[in-house]
Structures are given as C-alpha cells and as structure tokens.
Amino acid sequence: GLGDGIKKVLNCEQNTRKAFRRYLVLAHDVKKGHQFKLDDFNFKKTVDGIAPSFYEQIKLSRAKHDLKEDHVLMWSNLEF
C-alpha cells in the first residue's frame, strides 16, 4: 500500500485548520467582577482567543473589567 498509515496535518493544511477553530466569545455584556458560566459564551470562529477546551479554568475566574457582547475573551480579561 501507499503511505505509512499514520494521519498527520500537512504544512499546507495548517492555515485551514486555524480558520476552522472556534473561540470563546461573550454572548452578552458582563460587568467587572462577573463570575463566568457556560451561558456567558458563544463559540465563534475568530482569529485568536481562548479555546472552549479551557472552560473548566475560565469558570473559576471573574471579569477583570466590563466587557461587551461579542467580545473575544482573552486571558488578559480574567482575574483568578
């Protein structure tokens, strides 16, 4: 047969993978000090942000400052 049977992402596919990643985006405005919960988020395709796989850590945090709906959540927005 052809190939080694091991599936891997080719270099030419890296940008495509990044384009389909989803990140945490605020579903509504939150105030400084707000304790995050799952209902606070939508999962959208953006250029950067925090992946949904980090939700268990995010739910232990609070908003460092007021944030608007559709804001792409970044680690700098969080207080632990």
Side-chain angles (χ1 to χ4, degrees):
L2 296 175
D4 59 11
I6 299 172
K7 294 197 181 259
K8 15 184 162 172
V9 178
L10 301 175
N11 288 337
C12 63
E13 297 173 319
Q14 287 295 337
N15 288 339
T16 303
R17 280 189 68 186
K18 287 180 183 179
F20 286 100
R21 288 187 184 156
R22 294 183 185 270
Y23 296 97
L24 296 171
V25 177
L26 291 177
H28 53 84
D29 293 354
V30 297
K31 296 285 186 191
K32 179 181 178 178
H34 176 80
Q35 178 83 42
F36 289 109
K37 57 190 182 306
L38 190 57
D39 292 343
D40 294 328
F41 304 109
N42 289 320
F43 307 103
K44 294 187 177 183
K45 294 178 192 175
T46 67
V47 175
D48 201 7
I50 300 175
S53 59
F54 289 101
Y55 174 70
E56 290 300 316
Q57 293 162 304
I58 302 302
K59 73 179 187 180
L60 301 174
S61 69
R62 295 182 180 276
K64 190 180 275 189
H65 41 266
D66 292 352
L67 300 167
K68 296 283 186 191
E69 179 179 355
D70 264 351
H71 178 82
V72 177
L73 197 66
M74 303 297 242
W75 291 108
S76 60
N77 301 139
L78 309 177
E79 289 185 319
F80 290 91

